[in-house]
Amino acid sequence: MASSFNIDTFTSKLSKGGALASLFECELSATDKGKLGSVADWIFMCKGVVFPASTIDPATVTYMGRALQIPGNRAAAQLTTSVYNDEGMEVRNYIESWMERLNSHKTNKRDPAWNRILDYTAEMKVRQLKKDGTGSSKEYVFTNVWPSTCAEIALSWDTNEIQTFDVTWEYNYWSSVANSGTGA
């Protein structure tokens, strides 16, 4: 054990008791002005988010037989959300319709009205909320998101739980902002 161990020093460094994983909200902007249905309840139905890791892949350069590692490109990562399924399946229907218009099961074609990236992508914001209810302390903005996977829903007579399913998102880039104000 380190000789500098002191529980009071540790707790003094954990500002305001630390951020809680359960205090967050996820907002998804609607695409295509509602032609897919409603996503208004997304902020309530999105029960979990797994942030992608931030990774820069190394590029290997060889000099006289020695491999040198230099920073390469940022790795493409995926964002995953976990969603409660309501009885009307509104959010799931929205995601399935979005994916159908991206690439149809039947025709293997994209909706011809979607010819620009902004036509078929959205913006997702994930906010870390403060424990005192005064807004958010950090916000992540994922730009040009689109669903690449809408996961299965297991049905079983053995459970009495509300259904959930995961959605995997692709995006072009993300940015983060430390919020100092009181609003989200």
PDB file of all heavy atoms in Angstrom, residues 48-85:
ATOM      1  N   GLY A  48     -29.966   3.455 -21.586  1.00  0.00           N
ATOM      2  CA  GLY A  48     -28.535   3.299 -21.399  1.00  0.00           C
ATOM      3  C   GLY A  48     -27.753   3.650 -22.643  1.00  0.00           C
ATOM      4  O   GLY A  48     -28.253   3.531 -23.760  1.00  0.00           O
ATOM      5  N   VAL A  49     -26.539   4.108 -22.436  1.00  0.00           N
ATOM      6  CA  VAL A  49     -25.634   4.464 -23.532  1.00  0.00           C
ATOM      7  C   VAL A  49     -24.254   3.914 -23.194  1.00  0.00           C
ATOM      8  O   VAL A  49     -23.804   4.038 -22.057  1.00  0.00           O
ATOM      9  CB  VAL A  49     -25.531   5.996 -23.718  1.00  0.00           C
ATOM     10  CG1 VAL A  49     -24.550   6.360 -24.804  1.00  0.00           C
ATOM     11  CG2 VAL A  49     -26.882   6.612 -24.019  1.00  0.00           C
ATOM     12  N   VAL A  50     -23.603   3.312 -24.173  1.00  0.00           N
ATOM     13  CA  VAL A  50     -22.218   2.897 -24.003  1.00  0.00           C
ATOM     14  C   VAL A  50     -21.382   3.764 -24.935  1.00  0.00           C
ATOM     15  O   VAL A  50     -21.482   3.656 -26.157  1.00  0.00           O
ATOM     16  CB  VAL A  50     -22.020   1.393 -24.337  1.00  0.00           C
ATOM     17  CG1 VAL A  50     -20.552   1.018 -24.206  1.00  0.00           C
ATOM     18  CG2 VAL A  50     -22.891   0.537 -23.436  1.00  0.00           C
ATOM     19  N   PHE A  51     -20.617   4.671 -24.315  1.00  0.00           N
ATOM     20  CA  PHE A  51     -19.755   5.536 -25.105  1.00  0.00           C
ATOM     21  C   PHE A  51     -18.658   4.717 -25.759  1.00  0.00           C
ATOM     22  O   PHE A  51     -18.099   3.821 -25.138  1.00  0.00           O
ATOM     23  CB  PHE A  51     -19.074   6.589 -24.231  1.00  0.00           C
ATOM     24  CG  PHE A  51     -19.934   7.729 -23.836  1.00  0.00           C
ATOM     25  CD1 PHE A  51     -19.909   8.198 -22.545  1.00  0.00           C
ATOM     26  CD2 PHE A  51     -20.761   8.351 -24.738  1.00  0.00           C
ATOM     27  CE1 PHE A  51     -20.690   9.257 -22.162  1.00  0.00           C
ATOM     28  CE2 PHE A  51     -21.549   9.410 -24.374  1.00  0.00           C
ATOM     29  CZ  PHE A  51     -21.522   9.870 -23.075  1.00  0.00           C
ATOM     30  N   PRO A  52     -18.338   5.032 -26.985  1.00  0.00           N
ATOM     31  CA  PRO A  52     -17.202   4.351 -27.614  1.00  0.00           C
ATOM     32  C   PRO A  52     -15.895   4.840 -27.007  1.00  0.00           C
ATOM     33  O   PRO A  52     -15.802   5.953 -26.502  1.00  0.00           O
ATOM     34  CB  PRO A  52     -17.320   4.777 -29.078  1.00  0.00           C
ATOM     35  CG  PRO A  52     -18.056   6.069 -29.046  1.00  0.00           C
ATOM     36  CD  PRO A  52     -18.978   6.000 -27.866  1.00  0.00           C
ATOM     37  N   ALA A  53     -14.911   3.990 -27.068  1.00  0.00           N
ATOM     38  CA  ALA A  53     -13.576   4.396 -26.632  1.00  0.00           C
ATOM     39  C   ALA A  53     -13.020   5.413 -27.621  1.00  0.00           C
ATOM     40  O   ALA A  53     -13.374   5.422 -28.798  1.00  0.00           O
ATOM     41  CB  ALA A  53     -12.664   3.177 -26.566  1.00  0.00           C
ATOM     42  N   SER A  54     -12.161   6.267 -27.146  1.00  0.00           N
ATOM     43  CA  SER A  54     -11.486   7.228 -28.007  1.00  0.00           C
ATOM     44  C   SER A  54     -10.097   6.667 -28.294  1.00  0.00           C
ATOM     45  O   SER A  54      -9.251   6.608 -27.400  1.00  0.00           O
ATOM     46  CB  SER A  54     -11.392   8.586 -27.317  1.00  0.00           C
ATOM     47  OG  SER A  54     -10.812   9.533 -28.174  1.00  0.00           O
ATOM     48  N   THR A  55      -9.891   6.232 -29.523  1.00  0.00           N
ATOM     49  CA  THR A  55      -8.669   5.522 -29.875  1.00  0.00           C
ATOM     50  C   THR A  55      -8.026   6.133 -31.118  1.00  0.00           C
ATOM     51  O   THR A  55      -8.709   6.417 -32.094  1.00  0.00           O
ATOM     52  CB  THR A  55      -8.992   4.033 -30.163  1.00  0.00           C
ATOM     53  OG1 THR A  55      -9.681   3.492 -29.047  1.00  0.00           O
ATOM     54  CG2 THR A  55      -7.741   3.241 -30.446  1.00  0.00           C
ATOM     55  N   ILE A  56      -6.727   6.309 -31.043  1.00  0.00           N
ATOM     56  CA  ILE A  56      -5.953   6.686 -32.227  1.00  0.00           C
ATOM     57  C   ILE A  56      -5.075   5.488 -32.561  1.00  0.00           C
ATOM     58  O   ILE A  56      -4.246   5.067 -31.751  1.00  0.00           O
ATOM     59  CB  ILE A  56      -5.112   7.945 -31.985  1.00  0.00           C
ATOM     60  CG1 ILE A  56      -6.034   9.135 -31.701  1.00  0.00           C
ATOM     61  CG2 ILE A  56      -4.196   8.222 -33.184  1.00  0.00           C
ATOM     62  CD1 ILE A  56      -5.329  10.418 -31.350  1.00  0.00           C
ATOM     63  N   ASP A  57      -5.298   4.924 -33.733  1.00  0.00           N
ATOM     64  CA  ASP A  57      -4.522   3.765 -34.147  1.00  0.00           C
ATOM     65  C   ASP A  57      -3.084   4.184 -34.449  1.00  0.00           C
ATOM     66  O   ASP A  57      -2.851   5.251 -35.027  1.00  0.00           O
ATOM     67  CB  ASP A  57      -5.129   3.123 -35.405  1.00  0.00           C
ATOM     68  CG  ASP A  57      -6.438   2.408 -35.133  1.00  0.00           C
ATOM     69  OD1 ASP A  57      -6.623   1.927 -33.993  1.00  0.00           O
ATOM     70  OD2 ASP A  57      -7.263   2.328 -36.051  1.00  0.00           O
ATOM     71  N   PRO A  58      -2.137   3.349 -34.082  1.00  0.00           N
ATOM     72  CA  PRO A  58      -0.757   3.670 -34.418  1.00  0.00           C
ATOM     73  C   PRO A  58      -0.461   3.357 -35.887  1.00  0.00           C
ATOM     74  O   PRO A  58      -1.020   2.434 -36.460  1.00  0.00           O
ATOM     75  CB  PRO A  58       0.054   2.755 -33.490  1.00  0.00           C
ATOM     76  CG  PRO A  58      -0.853   1.591 -33.233  1.00  0.00           C
ATOM     77  CD  PRO A  58      -2.254   2.147 -33.264  1.00  0.00           C
ATOM     78  N   ALA A  59       0.402   4.151 -36.454  1.00  0.00           N
ATOM     79  CA  ALA A  59       0.915   3.881 -37.794  1.00  0.00           C
ATOM     80  C   ALA A  59       2.369   3.441 -37.613  1.00  0.00           C
ATOM     81  O   ALA A  59       3.134   4.088 -36.886  1.00  0.00           O
ATOM     82  CB  ALA A  59       0.839   5.119 -38.667  1.00  0.00           C
ATOM     83  N   THR A  60       2.720   2.358 -38.236  1.00  0.00           N
ATOM     84  CA  THR A  60       4.073   1.826 -38.078  1.00  0.00           C
ATOM     85  C   THR A  60       4.956   2.310 -39.226  1.00  0.00           C
ATOM     86  O   THR A  60       4.607   2.168 -40.389  1.00  0.00           O
ATOM     87  CB  THR A  60       4.044   0.288 -38.050  1.00  0.00           C
ATOM     88  OG1 THR A  60       3.172  -0.125 -37.005  1.00  0.00           O
ATOM     89  CG2 THR A  60       5.433  -0.282 -37.809  1.00  0.00           C
ATOM     90  N   VAL A  61       6.076   2.902 -38.858  1.00  0.00           N
ATOM     91  CA  VAL A  61       7.076   3.345 -39.819  1.00  0.00           C
ATOM     92  C   VAL A  61       8.349   2.569 -39.494  1.00  0.00           C
ATOM     93  O   VAL A  61       8.773   2.523 -38.343  1.00  0.00           O
ATOM     94  CB  VAL A  61       7.340   4.864 -39.709  1.00  0.00           C
ATOM     95  CG1 VAL A  61       8.431   5.291 -40.665  1.00  0.00           C
ATOM     96  CG2 VAL A  61       6.066   5.647 -39.949  1.00  0.00           C
ATOM     97  N   THR A  62       8.937   1.965 -40.510  1.00  0.00           N
ATOM     98  CA  THR A  62      10.136   1.167 -40.282  1.00  0.00           C
ATOM     99  C   THR A  62      11.367   1.945 -40.734  1.00  0.00           C
ATOM    100  O   THR A  62      11.402   2.504 -41.833  1.00  0.00           O
ATOM    101  CB  THR A  62      10.041  -0.164 -41.051  1.00  0.00           C
ATOM    102  OG1 THR A  62       8.823  -0.798 -40.696  1.00  0.00           O
ATOM    103  CG2 THR A  62      11.195  -1.078 -40.725  1.00  0.00           C
ATOM    104  N   TYR A  63      12.358   1.971 -39.869  1.00  0.00           N
ATOM    105  CA  TYR A  63      13.621   2.637 -40.184  1.00  0.00           C
ATOM    106  C   TYR A  63      14.750   1.701 -39.782  1.00  0.00           C
ATOM    107  O   TYR A  63      14.898   1.356 -38.608  1.00  0.00           O
ATOM    108  CB  TYR A  63      13.732   3.961 -39.439  1.00  0.00           C
ATOM    109  CG  TYR A  63      15.048   4.663 -39.643  1.00  0.00           C
ATOM    110  CD1 TYR A  63      15.354   5.234 -40.877  1.00  0.00           C
ATOM    111  CD2 TYR A  63      15.992   4.738 -38.634  1.00  0.00           C
ATOM    112  CE1 TYR A  63      16.554   5.877 -41.088  1.00  0.00           C
ATOM    113  CE2 TYR A  63      17.198   5.372 -38.828  1.00  0.00           C
ATOM    114  CZ  TYR A  63      17.473   5.942 -40.064  1.00  0.00           C
ATOM    115  OH  TYR A  63      18.671   6.579 -40.272  1.00  0.00           O
ATOM    116  N   MET A  64      15.505   1.253 -40.773  1.00  0.00           N
ATOM    117  CA  MET A  64      16.648   0.368 -40.561  1.00  0.00           C
ATOM    118  C   MET A  64      16.269  -0.849 -39.717  1.00  0.00           C
ATOM    119  O   MET A  64      16.972  -1.243 -38.794  1.00  0.00           O
ATOM    120  CB  MET A  64      17.820   1.114 -39.937  1.00  0.00           C
ATOM    121  CG  MET A  64      18.343   2.242 -40.815  1.00  0.00           C
ATOM    122  SD  MET A  64      19.758   3.031 -40.068  1.00  0.00           S
ATOM    123  CE  MET A  64      20.975   2.702 -41.318  1.00  0.00           C
ATOM    124  N   GLY A  65      15.131  -1.410 -40.026  1.00  0.00           N
ATOM    125  CA  GLY A  65      14.695  -2.629 -39.357  1.00  0.00           C
ATOM    126  C   GLY A  65      13.970  -2.415 -38.043  1.00  0.00           C
ATOM    127  O   GLY A  65      13.474  -3.355 -37.444  1.00  0.00           O
ATOM    128  N   ARG A  66      13.887  -1.175 -37.594  1.00  0.00           N
ATOM    129  CA  ARG A  66      13.206  -0.911 -36.332  1.00  0.00           C
ATOM    130  C   ARG A  66      11.835  -0.301 -36.614  1.00  0.00           C
ATOM    131  O   ARG A  66      11.707   0.667 -37.354  1.00  0.00           O
ATOM    132  CB  ARG A  66      14.021   0.044 -35.481  1.00  0.00           C
ATOM    133  CG  ARG A  66      13.324   0.321 -34.178  1.00  0.00           C
ATOM    134  CD  ARG A  66      14.173   1.041 -33.206  1.00  0.00           C
ATOM    135  NE  ARG A  66      13.382   1.262 -31.998  1.00  0.00           N
ATOM    136  CZ  ARG A  66      13.733   2.039 -31.038  1.00  0.00           C
ATOM    137  NH1 ARG A  66      14.883   2.671 -31.112  1.00  0.00           N
ATOM    138  NH2 ARG A  66      12.981   2.197 -29.985  1.00  0.00           N
ATOM    139  N   ALA A  67      10.824  -0.894 -35.992  1.00  0.00           N
ATOM    140  CA  ALA A  67       9.459  -0.392 -36.154  1.00  0.00           C
ATOM    141  C   ALA A  67       9.217   0.741 -35.168  1.00  0.00           C
ATOM    142  O   ALA A  67       9.392   0.583 -33.958  1.00  0.00           O
ATOM    143  CB  ALA A  67       8.459  -1.509 -35.912  1.00  0.00           C
ATOM    144  N   LEU A  68       8.823   1.877 -35.693  1.00  0.00           N
ATOM    145  CA  LEU A  68       8.499   3.046 -34.868  1.00  0.00           C
ATOM    146  C   LEU A  68       6.996   3.275 -34.936  1.00  0.00           C
ATOM    147  O   LEU A  68       6.394   3.191 -36.010  1.00  0.00           O
ATOM    148  CB  LEU A  68       9.237   4.280 -35.381  1.00  0.00           C
ATOM    149  CG  LEU A  68      10.751   4.165 -35.507  1.00  0.00           C
ATOM    150  CD1 LEU A  68      11.315   5.385 -36.204  1.00  0.00           C
ATOM    151  CD2 LEU A  68      11.363   3.982 -34.129  1.00  0.00           C
ATOM    152  N   GLN A  69       6.400   3.583 -33.812  1.00  0.00           N
ATOM    153  CA  GLN A  69       4.963   3.838 -33.754  1.00  0.00           C
ATOM    154  C   GLN A  69       4.730   5.344 -33.696  1.00  0.00           C
ATOM    155  O   GLN A  69       5.268   6.029 -32.824  1.00  0.00           O
ATOM    156  CB  GLN A  69       4.347   3.171 -32.519  1.00  0.00           C
ATOM    157  CG  GLN A  69       4.562   1.676 -32.446  1.00  0.00           C
ATOM    158  CD  GLN A  69       3.906   0.941 -33.599  1.00  0.00           C
ATOM    159  OE1 GLN A  69       2.833   1.302 -34.070  1.00  0.00           O
ATOM    160  NE2 GLN A  69       4.563  -0.099 -34.088  1.00  0.00           N
ATOM    161  N   ILE A  70       3.948   5.834 -34.642  1.00  0.00           N
ATOM    162  CA  ILE A  70       3.564   7.242 -34.643  1.00  0.00           C
ATOM    163  C   ILE A  70       2.039   7.303 -34.666  1.00  0.00           C
ATOM    164  O   ILE A  70       1.377   6.349 -35.078  1.00  0.00           O
ATOM    165  CB  ILE A  70       4.171   8.006 -35.842  1.00  0.00           C
ATOM    166  CG1 ILE A  70       3.670   7.424 -37.176  1.00  0.00           C
ATOM    167  CG2 ILE A  70       5.695   7.978 -35.786  1.00  0.00           C
ATOM    168  CD1 ILE A  70       4.042   8.270 -38.366  1.00  0.00           C
ATOM    169  N   PRO A  71       1.451   8.419 -34.206  1.00  0.00           N
ATOM    170  CA  PRO A  71      -0.006   8.512 -34.216  1.00  0.00           C
ATOM    171  C   PRO A  71      -0.555   8.447 -35.640  1.00  0.00           C
ATOM    172  O   PRO A  71      -0.077   9.147 -36.530  1.00  0.00           O
ATOM    173  CB  PRO A  71      -0.289   9.882 -33.593  1.00  0.00           C
ATOM    174  CG  PRO A  71       0.975  10.271 -32.896  1.00  0.00           C
ATOM    175  CD  PRO A  71       2.082   9.584 -33.628  1.00  0.00           C
ATOM    176  N   GLY A  72      -1.529   7.586 -35.822  1.00  0.00           N
ATOM    177  CA  GLY A  72      -2.180   7.455 -37.126  1.00  0.00           C
ATOM    178  C   GLY A  72      -3.552   8.118 -37.095  1.00  0.00           C
ATOM    179  O   GLY A  72      -3.725   9.171 -36.496  1.00  0.00           O
ATOM    180  N   ASN A  73      -4.510   7.459 -37.691  1.00  0.00           N
ATOM    181  CA  ASN A  73      -5.871   7.989 -37.758  1.00  0.00           C
ATOM    182  C   ASN A  73      -6.679   7.574 -36.540  1.00  0.00           C
ATOM    183  O   ASN A  73      -6.430   6.541 -35.923  1.00  0.00           O
ATOM    184  CB  ASN A  73      -6.577   7.483 -39.018  1.00  0.00           C
ATOM    185  CG  ASN A  73      -5.972   8.069 -40.268  1.00  0.00           C
ATOM    186  OD1 ASN A  73      -5.519   9.211 -40.270  1.00  0.00           O
ATOM    187  ND2 ASN A  73      -5.941   7.289 -41.327  1.00  0.00           N
ATOM    188  N   ARG A  74      -7.661   8.382 -36.227  1.00  0.00           N
ATOM    189  CA  ARG A  74      -8.583   8.039 -35.149  1.00  0.00           C
ATOM    190  C   ARG A  74      -9.413   6.853 -35.606  1.00  0.00           C
ATOM    191  O   ARG A  74      -9.893   6.802 -36.726  1.00  0.00           O
ATOM    192  CB  ARG A  74      -9.487   9.212 -34.815  1.00  0.00           C
ATOM    193  CG  ARG A  74     -10.353   8.941 -33.591  1.00  0.00           C
ATOM    194  CD  ARG A  74     -11.078  10.187 -33.136  1.00  0.00           C
ATOM    195  NE  ARG A  74     -10.207  11.191 -32.581  1.00  0.00           N
ATOM    196  CZ  ARG A  74      -9.843  11.257 -31.306  1.00  0.00           C
ATOM    197  NH1 ARG A  74     -10.263  10.341 -30.469  1.00  0.00           N
ATOM    198  NH2 ARG A  74      -9.069  12.219 -30.879  1.00  0.00           N
ATOM    199  N   ALA A  75      -9.569   5.886 -34.726  1.00  0.00           N
ATOM    200  CA  ALA A  75     -10.315   4.669 -35.053  1.00  0.00           C
ATOM    201  C   ALA A  75     -11.812   4.969 -35.129  1.00  0.00           C
ATOM    202  O   ALA A  75     -12.336   5.729 -34.318  1.00  0.00           O
ATOM    203  CB  ALA A  75     -10.056   3.599 -34.003  1.00  0.00           C
ATOM    204  N   ALA A  76     -12.454   4.375 -36.113  1.00  0.00           N
ATOM    205  CA  ALA A  76     -13.909   4.486 -36.220  1.00  0.00           C
ATOM    206  C   ALA A  76     -14.524   3.597 -35.151  1.00  0.00           C
ATOM    207  O   ALA A  76     -14.166   2.431 -35.019  1.00  0.00           O
ATOM    208  CB  ALA A  76     -14.375   4.054 -37.608  1.00  0.00           C
ATOM    209  N   ALA A  77     -15.402   4.154 -34.362  1.00  0.00           N
ATOM    210  CA  ALA A  77     -16.034   3.401 -33.283  1.00  0.00           C
ATOM    211  C   ALA A  77     -17.543   3.500 -33.423  1.00  0.00           C
ATOM    212  O   ALA A  77     -18.047   4.298 -34.208  1.00  0.00           O
ATOM    213  CB  ALA A  77     -15.591   3.953 -31.941  1.00  0.00           C
ATOM    214  N   GLN A  78     -18.237   2.690 -32.678  1.00  0.00           N
ATOM    215  CA  GLN A  78     -19.691   2.699 -32.719  1.00  0.00           C
ATOM    216  C   GLN A  78     -20.234   3.131 -31.366  1.00  0.00           C
ATOM    217  O   GLN A  78     -19.616   2.911 -30.330  1.00  0.00           O
ATOM    218  CB  GLN A  78     -20.219   1.309 -33.060  1.00  0.00           C
ATOM    219  CG  GLN A  78     -19.812   0.841 -34.431  1.00  0.00           C
ATOM    220  CD  GLN A  78     -20.220  -0.607 -34.680  1.00  0.00           C
ATOM    221  OE1 GLN A  78     -20.114  -1.449 -33.807  1.00  0.00           O
ATOM    222  NE2 GLN A  78     -20.675  -0.871 -35.881  1.00  0.00           N
ATOM    223  N   LEU A  79     -21.401   3.723 -31.399  1.00  0.00           N
ATOM    224  CA  LEU A  79     -22.125   4.132 -30.211  1.00  0.00           C
ATOM    225  C   LEU A  79     -23.260   3.142 -30.024  1.00  0.00           C
ATOM    226  O   LEU A  79     -23.930   2.789 -31.001  1.00  0.00           O
ATOM    227  CB  LEU A  79     -22.670   5.546 -30.417  1.00  0.00           C
ATOM    228  CG  LEU A  79     -23.557   6.143 -29.349  1.00  0.00           C
ATOM    229  CD1 LEU A  79     -22.756   6.433 -28.093  1.00  0.00           C
ATOM    230  CD2 LEU A  79     -24.197   7.431 -29.860  1.00  0.00           C
ATOM    231  N   THR A  80     -23.494   2.681 -28.799  1.00  0.00           N
ATOM    232  CA  THR A  80     -24.566   1.729 -28.550  1.00  0.00           C
ATOM    233  C   THR A  80     -25.523   2.297 -27.514  1.00  0.00           C
ATOM    234  O   THR A  80     -25.089   2.810 -26.485  1.00  0.00           O
ATOM    235  CB  THR A  80     -24.004   0.388 -28.038  1.00  0.00           C
ATOM    236  OG1 THR A  80     -23.071  -0.109 -29.001  1.00  0.00           O
ATOM    237  CG2 THR A  80     -25.101  -0.638 -27.850  1.00  0.00           C
ATOM    238  N   THR A  81     -26.811   2.205 -27.815  1.00  0.00           N
ATOM    239  CA  THR A  81     -27.842   2.624 -26.877  1.00  0.00           C
ATOM    240  C   THR A  81     -28.728   1.432 -26.540  1.00  0.00           C
ATOM    241  O   THR A  81     -28.923   0.539 -27.360  1.00  0.00           O
ATOM    242  CB  THR A  81     -28.719   3.750 -27.463  1.00  0.00           C
ATOM    243  OG1 THR A  81     -29.262   3.329 -28.713  1.00  0.00           O
ATOM    244  CG2 THR A  81     -27.927   5.023 -27.661  1.00  0.00           C
ATOM    245  N   SER A  82     -29.254   1.433 -25.334  1.00  0.00           N
ATOM    246  CA  SER A  82     -30.209   0.416 -24.898  1.00  0.00           C
ATOM    247  C   SER A  82     -31.539   1.120 -24.683  1.00  0.00           C
ATOM    248  O   SER A  82     -31.593   2.178 -24.047  1.00  0.00           O
ATOM    249  CB  SER A  82     -29.717  -0.237 -23.606  1.00  0.00           C
ATOM    250  OG  SER A  82     -30.587  -1.271 -23.225  1.00  0.00           O
ATOM    251  N   VAL A  83     -32.614   0.535 -25.209  1.00  0.00           N
ATOM    252  CA  VAL A  83     -33.890   1.225 -25.283  1.00  0.00           C
ATOM    253  C   VAL A  83     -35.000   0.370 -24.665  1.00  0.00           C
ATOM    254  O   VAL A  83     -35.082  -0.836 -24.920  1.00  0.00           O
ATOM    255  CB  VAL A  83     -34.249   1.522 -26.764  1.00  0.00           C
ATOM    256  CG1 VAL A  83     -35.551   2.287 -26.889  1.00  0.00           C
ATOM    257  CG2 VAL A  83     -33.115   2.271 -27.450  1.00  0.00           C
ATOM    258  N   TYR A  84     -35.856   1.006 -23.854  1.00  0.00           N
ATOM    259  CA  TYR A  84     -37.074   0.342 -23.396  1.00  0.00           C
ATOM    260  C   TYR A  84     -38.038   0.260 -24.567  1.00  0.00           C
ATOM    261  O   TYR A  84     -38.175   1.209 -25.337  1.00  0.00           O
ATOM    262  CB  TYR A  84     -37.762   1.141 -22.288  1.00  0.00           C
ATOM    263  CG  TYR A  84     -37.141   1.009 -20.936  1.00  0.00           C
ATOM    264  CD1 TYR A  84     -36.682   2.136 -20.258  1.00  0.00           C
ATOM    265  CD2 TYR A  84     -37.040  -0.222 -20.300  1.00  0.00           C
ATOM    266  CE1 TYR A  84     -36.126   2.030 -18.998  1.00  0.00           C
ATOM    267  CE2 TYR A  84     -36.473  -0.331 -19.037  1.00  0.00           C
ATOM    268  CZ  TYR A  84     -36.029   0.797 -18.401  1.00  0.00           C
ATOM    269  OH  TYR A  84     -35.480   0.693 -17.153  1.00  0.00           O
ATOM    270  N   ASN A  85     -38.735  -0.851 -24.702  1.00  0.00           N
ATOM    271  CA  ASN A  85     -39.722  -1.005 -25.764  1.00  0.00           C
ATOM    272  C   ASN A  85     -41.108  -0.756 -25.191  1.00  0.00           C
ATOM    273  O   ASN A  85     -41.550  -1.462 -24.293  1.00  0.00           O
ATOM    274  CB  ASN A  85     -39.641  -2.415 -26.362  1.00  0.00           C
ATOM    275  CG  ASN A  85     -40.317  -2.507 -27.708  1.00  0.00           C
ATOM    276  OD1 ASN A  85     -40.505  -1.500 -28.375  1.00  0.00           O
ATOM    277  ND2 ASN A  85     -40.676  -3.699 -28.100  1.00  0.00           N
TER     278      ASN A  85
END
